[in-house]
C-alpha cells in the first residue's frame, strides 16, 4: 500500500470544490485517501477564516496532530485555504510540526511543495496572488466522483468588501470564468451522471460584469439549464443589491431551476446595513423578495444574519427581528459578529458586548426556529418530487434526496433509484431533515 492522505474540509462551497481538486492532485502523485488522520502519511487541512471560531478550530486541530507526527516521522502536515492565505509564514513559526502552508491561489503548487518537504525537509509557505489571466487557467479541474449533485465554480474572489468580511482579502479580486468553460464543465459533469448542478461564487449576480463579451448571470443560468440530461439547477450566493429583473424572471421561466434562493440579509436596520457597506436598504430588500415571490409563489428563501455588528442598537436589532417575521425565511444562518483582522469593521466604534450579542442571538433564534418549524411542517402529508442522491448509510435500505427547496428527505427505497426524481410523501419534519415514504 502506498502513501495515504487525510483531507479535512472546513468552510464554504469554495473549499469543497478546492478539496476535490486537492484530492485529484494527490491521486496523481500516488496518494490514496484515508478515513482517519492516524492512518495517513499526509494530513491536509483546507481551512476557513470567516469567523474567529473557525480559525481557532484550525490551530486546535494542528496541535492535536503533534503526537501523530511523533509516532510517524514520515507524516507531513499541510494547511491550505483561507487561514493559510491569511496567516502564511506565521503559521510555520507558530506550529513547529507544520510542513506546508499553501494559500487559496496556490493549490497547483502542492506537488512541488510536497516534493521539497519530502526530499529536502523544506518547510514552505506559498501565498502569492496571481493576475486574472493566470487565475482563469486555474479554475478547479474536477475528478469524476459520480455524485448526483455537484458544485460548479463560475467565479472566484469578491470585490464587495463588506465591512465585516475577510473573503476579499483571502480570496482576492473577483474573476468570472468564461461561459464556454462553465458550459463545458457542466456538460462533463452531466455526462458523468450528475443530475443537479449548483453554480457557485461569492456574488453570482455580478457574474461577467467585468469581462467583455460574457453573458449575464441570468443568461448563463439559462444556458446551463438547457443542457440535456440535467434535472435540476441551483446557485449560491446572491447579493441582494445585484439581483436583476432578468434573474427574477428565471424563476418563472426555467422549470429546472429549484424554487429556493439564499439571499443574505445580514441586518434589517438601514443604519447597520450602511455601516456594513451592503448597498441596499431594508425596503429595497423587501421589494426584491416581493418581486421574487411574484415570479414564483412557491419560492422559499434562506438567509444569513449577523447580530451585534458594531453600533447595532436595541432598536436596530428589533428591525432585524421584524424583518425576519415579515419575510418568513425557511431557514436563517445566524452569526454573532466576529472581528476579523484587516477588515473595516474592526475600526468602527460601538462594539456590542458579548452578553448582549448572545441575548439578541437567542431571541432571534427563537423567532426564526418557530417560523422554520412551521414552514417545513407544512410539507407533511404532501407528495414532493425528490432527487435521490444516495444511501443514507450503506446497505441500510434508507435513501436520501432533496426537495426543490433543498431540505434533506430520508425514505426507504431501492439503490437503483439514486439519480432519479421520485415522488415521496412527507410523513414527518425534523430540525434539519424530513422523513418520507415512496409513493
Ligand atoms: N459571499 C457570501 C457569503 C460570505 S460568508 C455573501 O456575500 O453572502 C457567509 C456568511 O458569514 C455571511 O453571509 C455573513 O453572514 C457571515 N459572516 C461573514 N463575516 C462575518 C463576521 N466577521 N462575523 C460574523 N459573521 C460573518
Ligand atoms: Fe464577504 Fe460581502 Fe463578498 Fe459576501 S459579498 S464574500 S459577505 S465581502
Ligand atoms: Fe471560509 Fe474562505 Fe469560504 S473564509 S466561508 S472558506 S471563502
Amino acid at each position: 500500500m502506498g502513501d495515504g492522505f487525510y483531507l479535512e474540509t472546513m468552510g464554504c462551497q469554495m473549499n469543497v470544490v478546492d478539496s476535490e481538486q486537492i484530492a485529484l492532485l494527490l491521486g496523481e502523485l500516488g496518494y490514496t485517501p484515508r478515513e482517519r488522520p492516524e492512518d495517513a502519511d499526509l494530513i491536509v487541512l483546507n481551512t476557513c477564516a470567516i469567523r474567529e471560531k473557525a480559525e481557532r478550530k484550525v490551530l486546535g486541530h494542528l496541535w492535536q496532530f503533534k503526537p501523530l507526527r511523533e509516532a510517524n516521522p514520515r507524516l507531513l502536515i499541510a494547511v491550505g485555504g483561507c487561514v493559510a492565505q491569511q496567516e502564511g509564514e506565521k503559521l510555520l513559526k507558530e506550529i513547529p510540526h507544520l510542513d506546508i502552508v499553501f494559500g487559496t491561489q496556490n493549490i497547483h503548487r502542492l506537488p512541488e511543495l510536497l516534493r521539497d518537504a519530502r526530499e529536502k525537509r523544506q518547510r514552505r509557505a506559498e501565498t502569492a496572488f496571481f493576475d486574472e489571466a493566470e487565475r482563469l487557467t486555474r479554475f478547479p479541474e474536477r475528478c469524476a466522483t459520480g455524485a448526483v449533485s455537484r458544485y460548479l465554480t463560475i467565479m472566484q474572489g469578491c470585490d464587495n468588501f463588506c465591512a465585516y468580511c475577510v473573503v476579499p482579502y483571502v480570496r482576492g479580486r473577483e474573476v468570472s470564468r468564461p461561459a464556454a468553460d462553465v458550459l463545458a464543465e457542466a456538460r462533463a459533469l452531466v455526462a458523468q451522471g450528475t443530475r443537479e448542478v449548483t453554480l457557485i461564487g461569492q456574488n453570482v449576480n455580478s457574474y461577467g460584469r467585468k469581462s467583455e463579451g460574457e453573458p449575464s448571470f441570468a443568461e448563463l443560468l439559462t444556458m446551463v439549464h438547457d443542457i440535456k440530461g440535467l434535472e435540476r439547477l441551483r446557485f449560491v450566493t446572491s447579493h441582494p443589491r445585484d439581483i436583476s429583473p432578468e434573474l427574477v424572471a428565471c424563476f418563472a421561466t426555467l422549470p429546472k431551476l429549484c424554487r429556493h434562493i439564499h439571499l443574505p440579509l445580514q441586518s434589517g436596520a438601514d443604519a447597520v446595513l450602511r455601516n456594513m457597506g451592503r448597498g441596499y436598504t431594508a425596503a429595497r430588500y423587501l421589494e426584491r423578495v416581493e418581486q421574487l415571490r411574484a415570479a414564483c409563489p412557491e419560492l422559499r428563501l434562506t438567509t444569513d444574519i449577523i447580530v451585534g455588528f458594531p453600533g447595532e442598537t436595541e432598536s436596530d436589532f428589533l428591525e432585524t427581528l421584524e424583518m425576519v417575521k415579515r419575510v418568513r425565511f425557511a431557514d436563517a444562518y445566524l452569526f454573532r459578529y466576529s472581528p476579523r483582522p484587516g477588515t473595516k469593521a474592526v475600526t468602527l466604534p460601538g462594539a456590542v458586548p458579548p452578553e448582549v450579542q448572545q441575548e439578541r442571538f437567542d431571541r432571534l433564534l427563537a423567532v426564526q426556529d418557530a417560523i422554520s418549524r412551521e414552514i417545513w411542517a407544512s410539507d407533511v402529508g404532501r407528495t414532493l418530487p425528490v432527487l435521490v442522491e444516495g444511501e443514507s448509510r450503506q446497505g441500510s435500505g434508507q435513501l436520501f434526496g432533496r426537495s426543490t427547496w433543498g431540505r434533506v428527505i430520508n425514505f426507504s427505497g431501492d439503490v437503483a433509484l439514486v439519480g432519479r426524481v421520485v415522488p415521496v410523501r412527507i410523513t414527518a419534519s425534523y430540525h434539519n431533515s424530513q422523513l418520507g415514504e415512496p409513493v
Side-chain angles (χ1 to χ4, degrees):
M1 208 160 54
D3 279 347
F5 72 90
Y6 170 78
L7 171 60
E8 187 169 327
T9 311
M10 301 152 175
C12 68
Q13 304 86 356
M14 296 294 153
N15 271 5
V16 172
V17 170
D18 286 347
S19 280
E20 286 185 21
Q21 166 147 50
I22 292 169
L24 186 73
L25 283 175
L26 294 177
E28 283 167 3
L29 294 176
Y31 284 90
T32 49
R34 299 279 190 274
E35 294 286 330
R36 309 182 319 151
E38 293 85 332
D39 302 331
D41 308 282
L42 167 65
I43 295 175
V44 183
L45 292 185
N46 195 8
T47 62
C48 173
I50 200 78
R51 283 168 290 274
E52 200 191 336
K53 208 169 119 193
E55 199 182 327
R56 268 206 313 266
K57 194 169 147 190
V58 175
L59 294 175
H61 269 49
L62 286 174
W63 283 110
Q64 276 170 11
F65 295 147
K66 194 165 179 256
L68 300 182
R69 165 70 154 249
E70 282 151 12
N72 175 9
R74 214 182 133 64
L75 177 65
L76 291 178
I77 302 175
V79 174
C82 296
V83 174
Q85 187 61 45
Q86 186 179 268
E87 301 297 319
E89 199 81 44
K90 239 166 73 191
L91 275 175
L92 288 182
K93 292 210 179 83
E94 245 168 84
I95 315 278
H97 55 282
L98 178 63
D99 301 284
I100 295 168
V101 176
F102 62 107
T104 53
Q105 297 183 15
N106 286 271
I107 294 171
H108 64 289
R109 302 194 63 179
L110 197 52
E112 159 204 342
L113 293 169
L114 279 170
R115 193 176 352 98
D116 289 351
R118 273 262 180 270
E119 290 169 11
K120 307 181 202 152
R121 274 282 157 195
Q122 257 182 24
R123 303 173 69 224
R124 282 171 58 189
E126 293 296 343
T127 55
F129 273 170
F130 297 91
D131 66 14
E132 176 164 343
E134 200 156 350
R135 287 171 66 197
L136 284 177
T137 66
R138 288 213 200 93
F139 269 85
E141 188 192 323
R142 318 289 296 286
C143 44
T145 64
V148 171
S149 178
R150 302 275 307 258
Y151 293 126
L152 200 171
T153 314
I154 64 165
M155 47 210 303
Q156 291 185 335
C158 184
D159 288 348
N160 281 310
F161 290 95
C162 301
Y164 48 82
C165 185
V166 78
V167 171
Y169 304 94
V170 293
R171 292 276 166 174
R173 293 292 61 72
E174 183 181 287
V175 296
S176 293
R177 190 178 190 182
D181 295 1
V182 173
L183 286 169
E185 187 177 357
R187 286 196 197 96
L189 292 177
V190 171
Q192 290 161 13
T194 294
R195 292 291 163 260
E196 174 181 277
V197 163
T198 303
L199 304 181
I200 64 168
Q202 297 298 346
N203 177 15
V204 292
N205 309 122
S206 63
Y207 173 83
R209 278 201 200 149
K210 294 202 293 188
S211 342
E212 224 163 299
E214 291 297 340
S216 68
F217 178 60
E219 288 164 343
L220 180 75
L221 205 56
T222 307
M223 291 189 247
V224 177
H225 178 272
D226 291 343
I227 293 175
K228 242 183 106 195
L230 184 77
E231 285 283 350
R232 282 183 176 180
L233 185 57
R234 301 179 187 274
F235 60 86
V236 77
T237 302
S238 288
H239 194 301
R241 185 196 55 214
D242 297 325
I243 289 200
S244 65
E246 291 74 31
L247 180 63
V248 172
C250 285
F251 282 101
T253 56
L254 304 181
K256 296 176 189 172
L257 184 61
C258 290
R259 280 26 193 155
H260 168 225
I261 188 168
H262 184 68
L263 200 59
L265 169 67
Q266 311 301 0
S267 168
D270 290 346
V272 177
L273 288 170
R274 204 176 317 115
N275 290 338
M276 287 176 165
R278 291 287 288 175
Y280 54 86
T281 58
R284 193 93 184 94
Y285 184 95
L286 270 180
E287 191 183 292
R288 291 277 151 79
V289 171
E290 277 156 21
Q291 289 163 351
L292 285 160
R293 285 190 166 142
C296 177
E298 284 222 291
L299 190 75
R300 286 188 188 169
L301 290 105
T302 56
T303 201
D304 295 341
I305 296 172
I306 298 176
V307 297
F309 187 75
E312 184 190 74
T313 63
E314 171 67 15
S315 100
D316 291 332
F317 172 70
L318 290 176
E319 288 184 47
T320 302
L321 208 57
E322 205 40 50
M323 190 74 158
V324 161
K325 290 181 189 160
R326 269 188 83 170
V327 178
R328 291 183 61 82
F329 297 105
D331 273 310
Y333 302 91
L334 311 182
F335 307 105
R336 277 151 291 214
Y337 167 70
S338 165
R340 305 313 294 131
T343 59
K344 183 159 170 245
V346 295
T347 66
L348 293 177
V352 178
E355 61 280 9
V356 178
Q357 279 193 351
Q358 186 63 46
E359 187 262 336
R360 289 180 189 165
F361 181 92
D362 293 343
R363 270 194 283 164
L364 189 56
L365 186 66
V367 169
Q368 179 56 45
D369 263 1
I371 296 171
S372 296
R373 219 173 308 126
E374 253 180 69
I375 291 177
W376 296 106
S378 73
D379 292 339
V380 175
R382 291 176 75 180
T383 298
L384 304 176
V386 169
L387 174 62
V388 186
E389 291 185 35
E391 283 183 286
S392 305
R393 255 172 298 109
Q394 237 174 16
S396 63
Q398 284 287 311
L399 301 177
F400 77 94
R402 280 168 216 271
S403 68
T404 188
W405 299 304
R407 185 151 283 205
V408 167
I409 298 169
N410 293 292
F411 63 104
S412 56
D414 194 283
V415 199
L417 295 178
V418 172
R420 298 202 1 223
V421 177
V422 299
V424 175
R425 204 175 69 87
I426 308 302
T427 55
S429 178
Y430 306 121
H431 195 66
N432 284 313
S433 66
Q434 295 173 319
L435 194 67
E437 55 191 22
V439 182

